[in-house]
């Protein structure tokens, strides 16, 4: 996966790929330094239908937060662990990393 390799080169330790439960899915989960990061990866061949980052809707953000809550509960990760929600937007061969793309909701 392109996003996985992109993040690893930048020092992110990926711990989960495509984590799913009945609420939805998170594409990648990893540690960026001390932060537990939940990554949404969006791809577009080109920008004719908008940028990939624009495709992360409010509904999708809520879904990711619910799945993240379940993940943290399942793995005993407490409230004091710093966490972020990031977006990796891939358009053609260009990759953008949006840190803190959205707040916990």
């Amino acid at each position: 996966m392109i996003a996985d390799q992109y993040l690893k080169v930048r020092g992110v330790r990926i711990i989960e790929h495509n984590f799913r439960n009945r609420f939805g899915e998170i594409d990648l989960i990893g540690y960026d330094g001390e932060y537990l990061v939940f990554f949404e990866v969006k791809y577009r061949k080109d920008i004719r239908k908008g940028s990939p980052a624009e495709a992360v809707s409010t509904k999708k953000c809520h879904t990711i937060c619910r799945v993240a809550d379940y993940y943290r509960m399942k793995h005993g990760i407490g409230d004091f662990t710093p966490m972020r929600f990031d977006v990796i937007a891939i358009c053609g061969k260009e990759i953008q990393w949006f840190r803190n793309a959205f707040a916990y909701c």
Side-chain angles (χ1 to χ4, degrees):
M1 175 185 250
I2 295 169
D4 179 271
Q5 292 305 314
Y6 175 87
L7 292 167
K8 284 180 181 177
V9 167
R10 283 152 183 82
V12 175
R13 183 170 52 96
I14 302 298
I15 57 174
E16 291 277 349
H17 293 82
N18 304 102
F19 179 79
R20 292 183 177 102
N21 68 12
R22 66 185 178 109
F23 301 116
E25 176 185 10
I26 296 175
D27 296 324
L28 296 169
I29 302 171
Y31 281 95
D32 183 22
E34 66 181 18
Y35 283 86
L36 176 63
V37 185
F38 299 94
F39 294 95
E40 176 66 8
V41 179
K42 288 294 183 189
Y43 171 81
R44 293 271 194 266
K45 183 172 68 173
D46 54 45
I47 59 169
R48 280 186 260 168
K49 293 185 179 181
S51 76
E54 293 171 346
V56 182
S57 67
T58 302
K59 181 179 178 186
K60 182 64 176 176
C61 294
H62 285 286
T63 298
I64 292 168
C65 289
R66 288 185 74 188
V67 177
D69 284 344
Y70 177 81
Y71 180 86
R72 290 174 54 229
M73 180 195 68
K74 180 179 177 187
H75 290 85
I77 298 170
D79 292 336
F80 296 109
T81 300
M83 67 177 185
R84 280 194 332 244
F85 297 94
D86 293 2
V87 172
I88 302 296
I90 305 169
C91 190
K93 294 186 180 197
E94 182 181 338
I95 301 174
Q96 291 181 292
W97 180 2
F98 296 94
R99 290 172 179 87
N100 280 322
F102 58 93
Y104 176 81
C105 45

